Amino acid sequence: MGTATSRDGTRIAYESAGSGPPLILIDAAGHYRANSPLGELADLLAADFTVHRYDRRGRGDSTDTLPYAPEREVEDLAALIATVGGPASLYGYSSGCLLALHAAAAGLDVHRLALLEPPLDPAEGSAEQRAFTTKLRELSGADAVTFFLTSIGVPEEMLAGMRGSPHWTAMVSVAHTLAYDSSLSEATTAGLLARAATPALILGSAGSSDDLAGMAATAAALLPNAVHRTLPGEWHQVPATTLAPVVADFLR
């Protein structure tokens, strides 16, 4: 375990495992190392890569510095890559994909990208997305989490199972960062994707809704150097045992 210091002084906590070329995993909205679906995937990929998991700013053991801007999170990744040694590949899940795309477009020392269902807004910073960010900034705690998860289409039966669980409690603890991910979405435009020339693998789950599948296809079409695959899975998730060999093969 260690820390990297971002340009604005924010301390980014991370842990490393495995051996081989560096690979950084980027969590989705409301997730961090202690509350993440990426642990099993990290264990599987550690056979081929030095896998680095980190807490995005404002979450877990990382600190935060206001005001938030997507550029600050790119600087966090730049500091982490400099600390662990680049070039590094990036694996992103959901809104973590958007951060990976911003990093690639900014010219960070990134080797390849593997992205599972980036929530790309084809309207490019639409008024609806801006209103969504504003509403998240007004809400806090469980109200923000409920609004966020409902708005992004989490099935009601899944949402009901989450309430009161340790995962729910952890998301509530970082509810203020949900607006960060919404701001990141606002800033992810077709022009930005056109600048992200890093080779990319865009993945989707066969069990996801049509909107998520469409977003993944749109991202692949807008990126200059991307391939698109659909894997067996459930809503917005693919088993780590299915993901790991596909991701490893592409990143090699």
Side-chain angles (χ1 to χ4, degrees):
M1 297 182 63
T3 59
T5 302
S6 195
R7 184 176 181 180
D8 67 358
T10 302
R11 294 190 307 278
I12 303 300
Y14 73 94
E15 61 185 65
S16 308
S19 60
L23 168 60
I24 297 172
L25 307 188
I26 308 176
D27 268 306
H31 293 82
Y32 52 101
R33 286 177 301 153
N35 179 47
S36 171
L38 301 184
E40 183 181 2
L41 180 63
D43 291 342
L44 293 171
L45 290 171
D48 297 290
F49 303 92
T50 303
V51 180
H52 307 284
R53 299 178 61 203
Y54 78 104
D55 294 335
R56 292 170 59 186
R57 63 171 51 209
R59 316 180 196 196
D61 294 325
S62 292
T63 62
D64 201 0
T65 305
L66 298 177
Y68 175 83
E71 293 81 3
R72 303 294 81 76
E73 285 218 76
V74 173
E75 291 167 358
D76 298 347
L77 265 178
L80 183 56
I81 292 171
T83 299
V84 304
S89 290
L90 305 178
Y91 172 84
Y93 170 48
S94 193
S95 57
C97 301
L98 305 184
L99 179 51
L101 290 169
H102 277 257
L108 267 59
D109 196 7
V110 176
H111 173 59
R112 286 195 167 204
L113 306 174
L115 310 176
L116 178 61
E117 297 194 333
L120 183 68
D121 180 5
E124 298 184 21
S126 65
E128 183 179 359
Q129 185 67 45
R130 292 195 297 273
F132 184 60
T133 304
T134 299
K135 184 66 174 179
L136 282 170
R137 287 175 179 153
E138 294 170 350
L139 296 172
S140 62
D143 290 338
V145 174
T146 299
F147 174 72
F148 178 83
L149 295 178
T150 302
S151 299
I152 67 172
V154 174
E156 180 53 40
E157 62 273 15
M158 187 179 294
L159 193 59
M162 291 168 61
R163 288 191 178 96
S165 68
H167 170 61
W168 179 268
T169 302
M171 284 198 71
V172 169
S173 74
V174 296
H176 65 286
T177 66
L178 296 174
Y180 296 0
D181 286 82
S182 186
S183 296
L184 193 62
S185 182
E186 281 185 52
T188 308
T189 65
L192 182 132
L193 267 66
R195 299 194 301 274
T198 304
L201 172 64
I202 308 300
L203 297 167
S205 168
S208 280
S209 49
D210 290 343
D211 58 339
L212 285 170
M215 289 176 184
T218 297
L222 290 173
L223 288 166
N225 192 9
V227 292
H228 180 211
R229 287 189 61 180
T230 300
L231 301 177
E234 300 179 5
W235 185 85
H236 204 31
Q237 55 187 309
V238 173
T241 51
T242 301
L243 269 175
V246 175
V247 169
D249 184 60
F250 178 78
L251 297 184
R252 289 193 197 99

